[in-house]
Amino acid sequence: MKIISNEIQYHVEVYGEGSFPLVLLHGFTGDTSTWTPFYDTWGKQVKLISPDIIGHGKTESPDVLSRYQIESVAKDLKAILEHLDVKQVDLLGYSMGGRLALTFALLFPTRVRKLILESASPGLATEDERHLRRMKDEELAHFIKERGIRSFVDYWEGIPLFQTMKRLPSAQKQIIREQRLNNLPSGLANSLLGMGTGSQPSWWGYLNKLTCEVMLLTGKEDKKFCDIADKMMKELKNSSWKVIEGSGHAIHVEEPEKFGTIVSDFLSKE
């Protein structure tokens, strides 16, 4: 369905038989199709709400950069939930979607019951780190605008973060590639500039303020995000962390059965 949120038209999918909602937030270059393999399983348990994040999929990609700031996108998500008459949710976010989920939980704490962060971070701790990351993201955004979506996807598939995905069957890799190619260059470039890791606030100093139950998921072969999760666990109060064997960054793709079961069990736990 189409939902107008703060003057931006969002594509949102709602699926499932359950009463309590689970909001699903995809990663950079993704869209709602990230989660469709889990719809039938999770949909028996909860009501799924899955938006294309601004700049991605069938949601609008405006030219105004401020609309991509992560706090602004969190407010868009709040407006979407109000449109659907949803008061409180569980949240699952992957990578960029995890940073958005964490932002939403910090800005609107009474609206979140449980928070699942897959391969996600609270941002970068220091301004020097954020400045360097913003410079890299600006270069990459320029690359996307100048070279186009196909050249960018060629590059993105080859970065070290996704090396373990090379083990996937060719047909599956092609489906992921086609989905990425469906994004608009302007949307991805503005998403990098507006809500990249260097552009968002650092939430490291706020993790201890989270009151909801939090579960961190990382792939054992994704050392960078395992290290981040280890540091996050020292700050979070009501939290758990699972490391998934045989997986890198995209656990939901690389180990979908394990991932689906872990999420179902966490949601059903009182």
Side-chain angles (χ1 to χ4, degrees):
M1 68 175 72
K2 299 295 182 185
I3 296 177
I4 304 296
S5 175
N6 299 320
E7 301 182 350
I8 299 297
Q9 183 172 275
Y10 273 79
H11 172 73
V12 182
E13 294 183 357
V14 179
Y15 184 92
E17 304 163 9
S19 56
F20 200 84
L22 171 65
V23 175
L24 303 168
L25 299 173
H26 62 77
F28 179 64
T29 75
D31 65 12
T32 56
S33 68
T34 296
W35 308 114
T36 51
F38 304 99
Y39 275 15
D40 286 342
T41 303
W42 294 344
K44 295 186 178 89
Q45 185 179 1
V46 295
K47 180 166 79 171
L48 302 170
I49 300 171
S50 179
D52 283 344
I53 297 171
I54 189 170
H56 292 75
K58 298 174 185 174
T59 289
E60 283 189 290
S61 300
D63 293 328
V64 182
L65 199 56
S66 61
R67 291 301 281 107
Y68 294 80
Q69 289 176 347
I70 204 161
E71 303 101 309
S72 176
V73 184
K75 290 172 185 174
D76 287 351
L77 180 56
K78 178 173 176 279
I80 288 168
L81 296 178
E82 287 170 349
H83 177 89
L84 296 171
D85 196 27
V86 170
K87 302 293 188 292
Q88 193 181 42
V89 299
D90 293 333
L91 265 177
L92 165 56
Y94 162 61
S95 201
M96 178 190 78
R99 292 188 288 107
L100 175 58
L102 177 58
T103 301
F104 184 91
L106 286 167
L107 293 181
F108 311 110
T110 62
R111 290 183 169 268
V112 181
R113 186 184 69 159
K114 294 187 177 188
L115 179 63
I116 306 168
L117 302 177
E118 177 195 359
S119 306
S121 85
L124 296 166
T126 68
E127 179 50 40
D128 283 348
E129 289 175 295
R130 292 194 292 275
H131 176 68
L132 287 172
R133 182 58 181 263
R134 285 195 299 272
M135 288 176 62
K136 289 180 180 177
D137 285 347
E138 285 171 12
E139 288 177 9
L140 192 52
H142 182 73
F143 175 88
I144 297 170
K145 290 176 179 176
E146 289 294 308
R147 301 280 298 276
I149 193 76
R150 193 166 293 275
S151 292
F152 166 69
V153 170
D154 289 344
Y155 160 79
W156 194 245
E157 288 173 339
I159 67 172
L161 196 64
F162 299 123
Q163 285 308 296
T164 53
M165 291 180 71
K166 292 185 183 297
R167 301 188 299 231
L168 295 171
S170 296
Q172 190 176 5
K173 287 190 285 190
Q174 187 60 31
I175 289 169
I176 295 168
R177 177 177 173 82
E178 291 300 326
Q179 179 274 306
R180 285 171 167 162
L181 289 170
N182 281 333
N183 288 303
L184 292 174
S186 60
L188 294 187
N190 286 335
S191 181
L192 269 178
L193 296 171
M195 63 184 298
T197 312
S199 299
Q200 73 158 70
S202 172
W203 298 128
W204 280 103
Y206 297 84
L207 293 178
N208 62 359
K209 299 183 186 304
L210 279 175
T211 54
C212 63
E213 188 176 358
V214 183
M215 182 168 68
L216 307 180
L217 298 175
T218 56
K220 189 169 184 180
E221 296 181 54
D222 184 7
K223 185 179 184 305
K224 175 182 176 181
F225 280 84
C226 284
D227 290 346
I228 290 169
D230 187 44
K231 291 174 185 173
M232 290 176 71
M233 286 295 291
K234 293 178 174 67
E235 305 296 329
L236 292 164
K237 292 175 182 173
N238 187 14
S239 62
S240 59
W241 173 27
K242 290 188 182 296
V243 179
I244 288 77
E245 297 278 348
S247 181
H249 194 65
I251 307 161
H252 63 280
V253 176
E254 298 175 57
E255 290 290 343
E257 288 189 18
K258 290 180 188 176
F259 180 81
T261 300
I262 289 168
V263 170
S264 291
D265 290 349
F266 179 68
L267 295 176
S268 62
K269 186 179 69 172
E270 291 298 329

